[in-house]
């Protein structure tokens, strides 16, 4: 489904208007800009992605009826409408054809932070949050296949959104977050691959294609711009 349809569904359930929820649902589907194939969902369509959305948007989203709607609930709604069951990140890795250049083990996050200090200055604490975020996917798999979720060019831009455009270190010193993130991926993988190098290695399964249609949700009734502007009724 399109983010517009997910947003209309949210408005019908929780009140407000579809515009209140469109940014959140667009966030989940932003990975389609990388690969117009259902496997793009692997990057955010899972419970761990819902947790990341909550970190990004906050615990609640206030709609135009002045009601705070739980972000986790909205994220789970998105998953339920796009998948036949609630998915965890590890579900996307079943049958994953891991590239032979994936490392067999992970570097220590403290060592990565110290490497950033040596390169950019400052203290390890200035860089630890970014390095920890990249490697927070470690519990998502039993091996290093979990690196596919953030260790790529798209993950570099995700880090910039997550931590802001600049990392402050030392008195008045800053370094663009994207540069530090690129160095992180380079040190872990020896390269900064596009996310598609991972996404194309996911084994397609039927459940990945079983998104609910707007018609099944009762969202296909004719609606005019006048109705949307005056009443915002979407059912």
């Amino acid at each position: 489904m399109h983010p517009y349809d997910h947003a209309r569904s949210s408005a019908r359930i929780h009140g407000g208007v579809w515009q209140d929820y469109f940014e959140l649902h667009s966030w989940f589907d932003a990975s389609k800009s990388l690969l117009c194939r259902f496997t793009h969902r692997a990057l955010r369509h899972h419970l761990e992605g819902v947790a990341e959305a909550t970190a990004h948007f906050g615990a609640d989203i206030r709609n135009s009826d002045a009601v705070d709607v739980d972000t986790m609930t909205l994220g789970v709604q998105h998953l339920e409408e796009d998948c036949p069951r609630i998915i965890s990140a590890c579900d996307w890795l079943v049958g994953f054809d891991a590239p032979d250049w994936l490392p067999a083990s992970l570097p220590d996050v403290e060592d990565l932070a110290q490497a950033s200090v040596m390169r950019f200055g400052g203290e390890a604490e200035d860089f630890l949050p970014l390095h920890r975020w990249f490697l927070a996917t470690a519990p998502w798999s039993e091996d290093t296949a979990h690196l596919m979720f953030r260790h790529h060019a798209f993950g570099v831009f995700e880090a910039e959104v997550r931590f802001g455009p600049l990392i402050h270190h030392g008195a008045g010193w800053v370094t663009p977050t994207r540069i530090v993130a690129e160095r992180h991926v380079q040190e872990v993988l020896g390269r900064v691959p596009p996310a598609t190098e991972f996404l194309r290695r996911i084994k397609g399964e039927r459940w990945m294609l079983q998104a609910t249609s707007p018609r099944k949700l009762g969202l296909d009734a004719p609606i005019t711009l006048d109705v949307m502007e005056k009443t915002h009724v979407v059912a």
Side-chain angles (χ1 to χ4, degrees):
M1 294 207 315
H2 191 275
Y4 168 62
D5 297 315
H6 288 294
R8 288 196 293 158
S9 180
S10 294
R12 187 174 63 173
I13 297 168
H14 301 288
V17 296
W18 65 268
Q19 291 93 332
D20 299 329
Y21 311 101
F22 185 77
E23 185 179 357
L24 170 73
H25 292 298
S26 291
W27 181 89
F28 274 101
D29 288 340
S31 51
K32 193 170 185 178
S33 65
L34 305 172
L35 182 65
C36 196
R37 186 173 184 266
F38 57 89
T39 53
H40 80 87
R41 294 173 177 158
L43 296 185
R44 291 177 172 174
H45 282 61
H46 38 69
L47 287 174
E48 294 83 354
V50 173
E52 183 66 15
T54 301
H56 179 68
F57 290 96
D60 303 291
I61 291 177
R62 174 158 292 195
N63 66 27
S64 54
D65 291 335
V67 174
D68 291 328
V69 183
D70 181 57
T71 304
M72 182 72 72
T73 298
L74 292 168
V76 169
Q77 172 215 319
H78 192 109
L79 296 190
E80 290 176 335
E81 291 172 350
D82 273 354
C83 305
R85 55 189 171 88
I86 299 300
I87 301 300
S88 295
C90 63
D91 291 313
W92 291 99
L93 296 176
V94 175
F96 175 64
D97 178 24
D100 57 11
W101 42 262
L102 272 187
S105 60
L106 300 176
D108 184 79
V109 69
E110 299 283 347
D111 292 340
L112 290 168
Q114 287 298 332
S116 292
V117 170
M118 292 293 293
R119 187 172 186 84
F120 305 111
E123 303 291 336
E125 289 73 19
D126 301 325
F127 302 98
L128 275 171
L130 179 141
H131 294 298
R132 285 173 176 155
W133 176 82
F134 269 108
L135 293 176
T137 60
W140 301 4
S141 71
E142 296 180 353
D143 53 22
T144 58
H146 66 88
L147 294 174
M148 67 146 283
F149 292 105
R150 292 179 180 171
H151 283 71
H152 39 65
F154 186 70
V156 168
F157 280 84
E158 282 191 290
E160 185 176 58
V161 172
R162 186 75 151 76
F163 297 100
L166 301 172
I167 290 180
H168 295 261
H169 52 91
W173 290 92
V174 296
T175 299
T177 303
R178 199 185 306 171
I179 291 177
V180 181
E182 287 174 352
R183 289 301 307 171
H184 171 100
V185 177
Q186 180 73 34
E187 290 185 36
V188 173
L189 296 184
R191 65 183 74 190
V192 182
T196 52
E197 283 200 30
F198 293 113
L199 298 177
R200 288 171 176 158
R201 292 174 173 269
I202 295 173
K203 180 182 178 183
E205 298 286 352
R206 181 176 295 276
W207 64 262
M208 300 175 185
L209 289 164
Q210 293 179 326
T212 303
S213 69
R215 176 169 295 179
K216 287 184 179 180
L217 292 176
L219 298 175
D220 273 358
I223 186 168
T224 66
L225 181 61
D226 180 63
V227 171
M228 291 173 64
E229 290 177 343
K230 291 183 178 180
T231 67
H232 303 289
V233 174
V234 296

